[in-house]
Amino acid sequence: MQAFTVSWGERKGRRRATVAAAVAGALLLPAGASTPGHRPASTMAQVIVQALPGELGQARSAVRAVGGRVTRELSVVNGFAADLPGGSGAGLGAADGVK
């Protein structure tokens, strides 16, 4: 049986060091770590927002105003799916443009 090997020449050592540093960095991060400005997924609630006729833009703005983000358009219900920070969905129903 013949064995095959791959060689990257002089860059081989640098690539190994880069991969090792990336793996070490990933292992050092706490399990719940997140990037600045983003909330951990565990504090976000997935919701469906239905907009009033002609008010889809205002409904999206209302979601962003409470720190949420639109994740998927749902044209069949004149709305969208969104992730909202926990507890912020209760007041969204009274927002302009939201049915």
Side-chain angles (χ1 to χ4, degrees):
M1 180 178 269
Q2 184 177 4
F4 294 96
T5 61
V6 177
S7 175
W8 288 281
E10 293 178 14
R11 290 189 241 170
K12 189 174 183 180
R14 253 188 268 156
R15 287 188 182 172
R16 281 187 182 163
T18 302
V19 170
V23 170
L27 293 174
L28 292 174
L29 286 175
S34 65
T35 57
H38 296 304
R39 297 174 191 271
S42 62
T43 64
M44 300 296 275
Q46 295 176 341
V47 299
I48 293 176
V49 178
Q50 188 174 16
L52 294 169
E55 303 290 332
L56 203 52
Q58 271 192 308
R60 285 188 195 105
S61 294
V63 166
R64 287 190 295 272
V66 297
R69 68 181 182 96
V70 174
T71 58
R72 184 177 184 154
E73 296 298 321
L74 301 171
S75 59
V76 72
V77 296
N78 189 42
F80 49 86
D83 289 336
L84 296 176
S88 66
L92 192 61
D96 290 338
V98 177
K99 187 173 182 182

